[in-house]
Amino acid sequence: MSAPTVRAKFFVTDIQHPPTPGSEPYATVYLQPVFGSYGDGTVNETWSKYTPSGQIVMSITNPAAIEAFEKGRAYFIDFTPIKERADGPPVPSSPPSHNPVG
């Protein structure tokens, strides 16, 4: 049985560009969840029963990706589990046991 995808709706609260002249294009994008009167926050009820909270901070160096974000605009973010971890080994079917030291 596969884990379900969780869809969240976040909006861009800020986009910061470094003041370093001559540097490669770079931006830091800050996002927070949509809620209440800001658009239709009901999609976030799939992961937050009440007022959703959270923050996503992305450092972006691809100029086309930087241009894809607009301050104040909302975006869907899908969290879809993968079968392998980023370092390659398969994800265990159950979490490892916790053996505290001491």
Side-chain angles (χ1 to χ4, degrees):
M1 177 181 208
S2 64
T5 296
V6 175
R7 173 168 266 202
K9 187 188 272 187
F10 276 59
F11 71 100
V12 175
T13 59
D14 196 15
I15 299 174
Q16 295 181 357
H17 300 272
T20 309
S23 67
E24 294 291 319
Y26 175 83
T28 303
V29 178
Y30 298 85
L31 301 102
Q32 292 183 338
V34 169
F35 62 92
S37 64
Y38 185 90
D40 176 15
T42 60
V43 72
N44 286 339
E45 291 175 358
T46 63
W47 62 273
S48 180
K49 189 173 181 179
Y50 301 108
T51 304
S53 67
Q55 182 177 30
I56 297 173
V57 178
M58 297 172 47
S59 297
I60 303 173
T61 57
N62 178 331
I66 293 169
E67 293 300 317
F69 290 93
E70 179 182 332
K71 187 175 180 179
R73 187 169 188 178
Y75 298 84
F76 284 118
I77 299 164
D78 294 320
F79 295 93
T80 307
I82 60 171
K83 293 182 182 183
E84 292 186 358
R85 296 189 302 217
D87 61 357
V91 175
S93 57
S94 60
S97 62
H98 178 67
N99 295 321
V101 177

